[in-house]
Amino acid sequence: MPVRSLRSSVRVWPRREAVEETLGRWAQCLLRERPELWRVGCFGSLVSGGWGVGSDADVVMAIEGGRGPGRLPCGRRAAASDTSAVPVPVDFLVYTEEEWEHMLRRGGRFARLLAGARSLAEREEEA
């Protein structure tokens, strides 16, 4: 969120690097806390270079389908995540691994956008 610069009426928007760093820490915490979570990535202006004043953080998550929020309809899954640690608004999508793979196979503009998502955190494959 924008913050006032000292005692001035000027508002300062966080730098892209600071937002990415905070998002990375937030994603790592989520991965530790939520066993159904497999990966977290960012896309949109953070990746494309269009970041600026008023930009939000576009985040995508992939989860196991049968656990926790994976049992909820797609539009209600994001409500299970607290984004208060991130200094800008977070607009995020939560897909099951199956939905994610299906979307990438089907293709299209949105699939290409998600395929280019920058990884913030990813669960290690268990041996």
Side-chain angles (χ1 to χ4, degrees):
M1 303 293 166
V3 294
R4 291 200 188 276
S5 176
L6 302 173
R7 294 171 193 232
S8 160
S9 63
V10 174
R11 294 192 181 257
V12 178
W13 201 256
R15 291 183 359 265
R16 183 179 58 88
E17 296 81 10
V19 172
E20 286 179 337
E21 183 179 317
T22 303
L23 278 174
R25 287 193 308 270
W26 173 75
Q28 291 295 331
C29 286
L30 279 179
L31 211 59
R32 285 190 301 272
E33 295 169 1
R34 297 179 52 187
E36 77 277 4
L37 185 59
W38 283 95
R39 65 177 73 134
V40 182
C42 63
F43 64 101
S45 61
L46 280 169
V47 175
S48 70
W51 176 264
V53 173
S55 292
D56 65 354
D58 298 305
V59 174
V60 61
M61 298 180 186
I63 59 175
E64 283 184 41
R67 297 174 72 175
R71 294 178 296 199
L72 297 172
C74 189
R76 296 193 49 219
R77 295 177 191 153
S81 297
D82 177 15
T83 61
S84 61
V86 182
V88 296
V90 177
D91 183 17
F92 67 93
L93 307 168
V94 183
Y95 295 107
T96 64
E97 283 285 315
E98 295 80 21
E99 291 167 342
W100 180 283
E101 295 301 325
H102 175 75
M103 200 172 355
L104 293 181
R105 280 193 310 273
R106 193 177 68 216
R109 183 175 178 266
F110 189 64
R112 286 191 301 277
L113 186 66
L114 291 182
R118 182 180 306 136
S119 179
L120 295 169
E122 197 162 332
R123 187 166 306 283
E124 303 262 338
E125 292 286 327
E126 294 181 14

